[in-house]
Amino acid sequence: MKNIQHHTLACNEKLIGVEHVSKTFRMRGEVVHALRDISCKIYSGEYLSIMGPSGSGKTTLFNMIGALDKPTSGRVTIGSLDLTSLSSRQLAYVRCNYIGYIFQSYNLIPSLTAQKNVALAHVYTGASDRDADEAAKAALEKVGLGHRLNHRPDEVSGGQQQRIAIARALVNEPSIILADEPTANLDFKTGADIIGILKQLSLEQGVTIITATHDHKMLANSDRVMWIRDGAIDHIDKRDDLHIDEGAVSPLSGGDDLEKLME
């Protein structure tokens, strides 16, 4: 499990590979195709947004990349690790040490302070309580909450709760951060602040940011936008090829060929 190095890959070098991934479920005796033969590459240090309507398969793809689920066929790699070949215990190690997760609903423990919520993620790596507290303090300072260490979730705003969740995702210094609708419950300004933090992590620390979102304002900071429809990649756009208004996105031109953008 030593085949992923934190922030050592050059920008534009492949970090994540999705190769002919399909996922099917059985519901009420019928086969549901959540993903259909998806292939793509995600690069070290890039900011990728995954867009698509509800039921399009974007959350399923998100879970495959995040080692939260396994495909029915195909494979997902991070560095030289084939996630589809790992045991449950090995996948838990990858999730804990190399991937940070930010959820729409924050998922903070109400009875714990901000510092203890963040420290808990570091304790799971085997760190001592003292080291975990120090790492949590540093992570909270990065997101501007060094003055809120001893506040519980119900004592801070929604935007501050999301910052605590980002600090928790950062505390183990992951190579990848997966953010699932991270601005959905926030007002425009607070959402913009959260997006700015994620972009800063990508630019300054080389963290690969992958978001699943319906929020068009998140696209302005993306390097690429992947559009999912009916379980397949419809197209991939570079940020410079898009004209983005609040509530609307349109291509500036016909866009690049999908296969070219996947190279």
Side-chain angles (χ1 to χ4, degrees), residues 10 28 37 49 54 142 168 175 200 216 242 244 246 257:
R28 300 174 184 175
D37 194 29
S49 291
S54 296
K142 285 182 182 179
R168 181 182 57 195
S175 299
Q200 185 176 16
H216 289 160
L242 293 174
I244 299 172
E246 184 180 351
D257 181 78

Side-chain angles (χ1 to χ4, degrees), residues 97-112:
N97 288 275
Y98 300 114
I99 304 174
Y101 301 89
I102 303 170
F103 301 100
Q104 176 180 343
S105 56
Y106 316 140
N107 290 344
L108 302 175
I109 299 174
S111 61
L112 296 184

Side-chain angles (χ1 to χ4, degrees), residues 7 23 31-32 38 48 50 53 83 134 137 166 174 180 182 187 195:
H7 318 317
K23 181 68 176 182
V31 176
V32 176
I38 283 185
L48 174 73
I50 302 175
L83 299 186
E134 287 299 313
K137 179 181 178 182
I166 292 174
D180 190 6
D187 60 65
I195 294 165

Side-chain angles (χ1 to χ4, degrees), residues 105-106 108 145 153-154 156-166:
S105 56
Y106 316 140
L108 302 175
L145 288 181
D154 64 354
V156 299
S157 67
Q160 289 172 329
Q161 289 183 56
Q162 190 62 293
R163 286 174 183 256
I164 295 170
I166 292 174

Side-chain angles (χ1 to χ4, degrees), residues 15-241:
L15 176 61
I16 300 166
V18 180
E19 302 174 16
H20 301 291
V21 164
S22 295
K23 181 68 176 182
T24 58
F25 301 96
R26 282 197 169 273
M27 294 182 63
R28 300 174 184 175
E30 294 186 4
V31 176
V32 176
H33 295 272
L35 296 177
R36 302 171 184 267
D37 194 29
I38 283 185
S39 294
C40 64
K41 296 176 182 178
I42 301 171
Y43 299 98
S44 178
E46 85 164 315
Y47 189 131
L48 174 73
S49 291
I50 302 175
M51 294 282 289
S54 296
S56 62
K58 68 178 185 298
T59 298
T60 305
L61 176 60
F62 191 80
N63 290 341
M64 299 294 168
I65 294 169
L68 295 169
D69 197 2
K70 287 189 174 184
T72 304
S73 61
R75 69 174 191 157
V76 178
T77 59
I78 298 179
S80 60
L81 287 177
D82 181 354
L83 299 186
T84 51
S85 69
L86 300 183
S87 67
S88 296
R89 184 174 181 179
Q90 289 171 325
L91 286 172
Y93 181 89
V94 170
R95 289 192 296 266
C96 187
N97 288 275
Y98 300 114
I99 304 174
Y101 301 89
I102 303 170
F103 301 100
Q104 176 180 343
S105 56
Y106 316 140
N107 290 344
L108 302 175
I109 299 174
S111 61
L112 296 184
T113 65
Q115 186 173 20
K116 290 300 183 183
N117 261 288
V118 176
L120 190 61
H122 203 49
V123 168
Y124 288 151
T125 68
S128 67
D129 289 345
R130 180 177 179 178
D131 288 346
D133 282 341
E134 287 299 313
K137 179 181 178 182
L140 285 162
E141 287 174 347
K142 285 182 182 179
V143 299
L145 288 181
H147 62 300
R148 297 289 193 183
L149 300 180
N150 296 316
H151 288 72
R152 295 190 307 273
D154 64 354
E155 297 174 325
V156 299
S157 67
Q160 289 172 329
Q161 289 183 56
Q162 190 62 293
R163 286 174 183 256
I164 295 170
I166 292 174
R168 181 182 57 195
L170 285 176
V171 72
N172 294 335
E173 298 184 346
S175 299
I176 302 162
I177 287 182
L178 295 174
D180 190 6
E181 299 284 1
T183 62
N185 296 325
L186 305 175
D187 60 65
F188 185 89
K189 182 183 182 305
T190 305
D193 290 342
I194 295 302
I195 294 165
I197 291 172
L198 295 176
K199 185 62 176 180
Q200 185 176 16
L201 290 171
S202 173
L203 291 174
E204 296 183 1
Q205 298 185 35
V207 180
T208 299
I209 308 293
I210 304 169
T211 67
T213 183
H214 287 96
D215 190 347
H216 289 160
K217 67 178 176 287
M218 291 200 72
L219 304 187
N221 284 320
S222 303
D223 296 308
R224 292 189 299 160
V225 181
M226 179 186 296
W227 307 84
I228 303 292
R229 185 180 299 276
D230 296 328
I233 297 176
D234 187 69
H235 59 284
I236 303 174
D237 292 304
K238 296 177 182 177
R239 169 61 185 89
D240 291 343
D241 293 331

